[in-house]
Amino acid sequence: MALPGDSHVHSEWSWDAPDGAMERTCARAVDMGLPAVAFTEHVDYTAWLFVDGELDGHDHLKAFATQDGTVAPPKFNLHGYLECVERCRDRFPSLRILSGVELGEPHWYGDEVARLLDAGQFDRVLGSLHCLPVGERFSEPPYLYHQRPAAEVLREYLAEIVRLIKVSHTFGVLAHIDYPIRTWPTQAGPFDPDSFQEEFRHALRVLADSGRALEVNTRARFPPEIVRWWRDEGGEAVTFGSDAHSPAALAHGFADAAAMVEAQGFRPGRHPHDFWTRLG
């Protein structure tokens, strides 16, 4: 099976991907025979709390740490990014290169997101949820797992996913619905998707009803149960995203992910950059 296009890739234009190197990523895609790449750069507006030691080994994140214990993402350089995309399109004509953004918590920042999308035309727009409220502040799952039980955090995350889908109509693909699972704490025991089937199914049903696509994110093993529930709840389309922050991670795990998605009843589109769609 030919690999699908990678629809979730970060380059040096993402604030948390200093090793992203768009040109080197394109060169690797050509070497791999990958048909398409979407550079969906981070556009984040939420400053998030971190726990002691969480940023160890991540000097690029420490550069954005503030004295009040948060990481505050910088403004996205739209002009520089779009110029780089055009340079890469000229240099790699055989590779389909899509422009894009990954909008963090777009339902909380409607005005800011509207201005960004008015300023730039993007081929692929992802919506994602990285943070949840902690009182009047915000945090990612690792901090939250120190505050309350892991199951409670995941259920709150999926409830916020529903709000994100209902409030924001700015994105076409929901990214990494499994985001909290990446850092699931060992003290919570092995992660069991079936324990959260009702909450996942509800979020997937709302997404399906909105007519948007679900991303199979391969940064970690994506539970096949989620794809099966997506189909059961009426989901029509799937994309694949490595969430690569460096060229080496491009299309990581795609062969296994594509086989899994095909086994759940989805097939490639007519063009390499098309969504995979369900049969029947």
Side-chain angles (χ1 to χ4, degrees):
M1 179 188 300
L3 293 178
D6 195 335
S7 292
H8 187 160
V9 180
H10 298 285
S11 75
E12 68 270 32
W13 301 99
S14 283
W15 64 275
D16 66 341
D19 299 323
M22 188 183 291
E23 289 196 14
R24 287 196 291 113
T25 299
C26 291
R28 178 168 170 77
V30 172
D31 289 344
M32 295 174 66
L34 205 64
V37 173
F39 287 102
T40 51
E41 309 299 356
H42 279 297
V43 177
D44 295 306
Y45 304 98
T46 305
W48 45 272
L49 293 161
F50 59 89
V51 297
D52 289 342
E54 185 180 347
L55 304 186
D56 290 350
H58 302 284
D59 290 343
H60 59 292
L61 295 182
K62 288 182 179 179
F64 304 107
T66 66
Q67 291 185 347
D68 66 351
T70 65
V71 172
K75 184 178 179 180
F76 177 53
N77 183 349
L78 174 62
H79 180 71
Y81 162 74
L82 292 176
E83 283 190 342
C84 192
V85 168
E86 290 305 318
R87 287 198 302 272
C88 286
R89 286 172 172 166
D90 290 340
R91 182 174 176 183
F92 303 96
S94 66
L95 178 66
R96 180 64 183 266
I97 300 173
L98 305 181
S99 64
V101 286
E102 179 187 355
L103 302 173
E105 298 83 45
H107 60 315
W108 297 344
Y109 305 100
D111 292 342
E112 294 89 337
V113 168
R115 284 194 293 269
L116 172 73
L117 298 183
D118 285 344
Q121 295 183 347
F122 300 103
D123 300 312
R124 189 63 49 85
V125 178
L126 311 181
S128 65
L129 182 67
H130 299 110
C131 298
L132 291 172
V134 182
E136 295 183 355
R137 304 173 84 181
F138 303 92
S139 185
E140 293 214 355
Y143 182 97
L144 297 169
Y145 288 142
H146 285 79
Q147 309 299 313
R148 48 189 185 270
E152 183 180 321
V153 172
L154 180 55
R155 289 192 170 96
E156 182 181 344
Y157 181 89
L158 292 171
E160 192 65 36
I161 284 285
V162 171
R163 287 188 281 272
L164 184 154
I165 298 165
K166 288 183 175 180
V167 172
S168 177
H169 304 285
T170 57
F171 62 93
V173 180
L174 178 67
H176 52 54
I177 195 174
D178 62 330
Y179 189 69
I181 303 173
R182 295 182 183 177
T183 51
W184 188 257
T186 55
Q187 62 268 26
F191 177 73
D192 178 16
D194 285 324
S195 297
F196 306 93
Q197 180 175 169
E198 180 180 349
E199 291 86 356
F200 271 112
R201 281 185 177 273
H202 177 55
L204 293 168
R205 188 179 317 120
V206 172
L207 182 65
D209 289 346
S210 77
R212 287 176 272 192
L214 176 72
E215 176 189 271
V216 172
N217 190 292
T218 63
R219 183 97 174 248
R221 178 184 176 273
F222 195 88
E225 294 90 342
I226 295 178
V227 181
R228 184 173 72 249
W229 299 334
W230 172 236
R231 179 180 169 84
D232 289 348
E233 298 301 333
E236 294 286 346
V238 167
T239 69
F240 297 85
S242 66
D243 213 343
H245 284 59
S246 69
L250 185 68
H252 169 76
F254 268 32
D256 290 342
M260 180 270 287
V261 169
E262 186 173 41
Q264 299 299 333
F266 292 84
R267 294 293 183 273
R270 179 175 300 179
H271 303 292
H273 58 280
D274 287 344
F275 294 167
W276 281 36
T277 55
R278 61 184 290 162
L279 292 177

